[in-house]
Amino acid sequence: TNPWHDVVIFNLLLALGAFVRPRGLGQFTTGQGAFKLAVPGRRGDTVRSPDITFTVAARVAELFPGRGFGRGA
């Protein structure tokens, strides 16, 4: 991949994290994780691995069980 992609992701996480972390608003992840989404009207699950995800603090324990895929947002 283009190294600038990683630079942009890193800088976004630094900037967003500087606001979110001190306030305990939630959790960020990068493209290393995946989310299994149930799509209404579609058979089976869809797995997505976005560059950056944000999960609000109230849902962190629910969506990040410790291993495997997160449930999705």
Side-chain angles (χ1 to χ4, degrees), residues 7-66:
V7 170
V8 169
I9 298 303
F10 178 77
N11 286 321
L12 281 170
L13 286 170
L14 282 177
L16 293 168
F19 181 82
V20 170
R21 290 192 73 194
R23 293 165 177 82
L25 299 176
Q27 182 67 47
F28 288 103
T29 63
T30 64
Q32 300 299 315
F35 289 85
K36 185 168 55 172
L37 307 173
V39 180
R42 186 173 177 181
R43 297 177 94 186
D45 294 316
T46 300
V47 176
R48 295 287 184 245
S49 184
D51 292 331
I52 297 174
T53 64
F54 174 76
T55 303
V56 67
R59 297 196 66 200
V60 168
E62 172 191 352
L63 298 177
F64 297 95

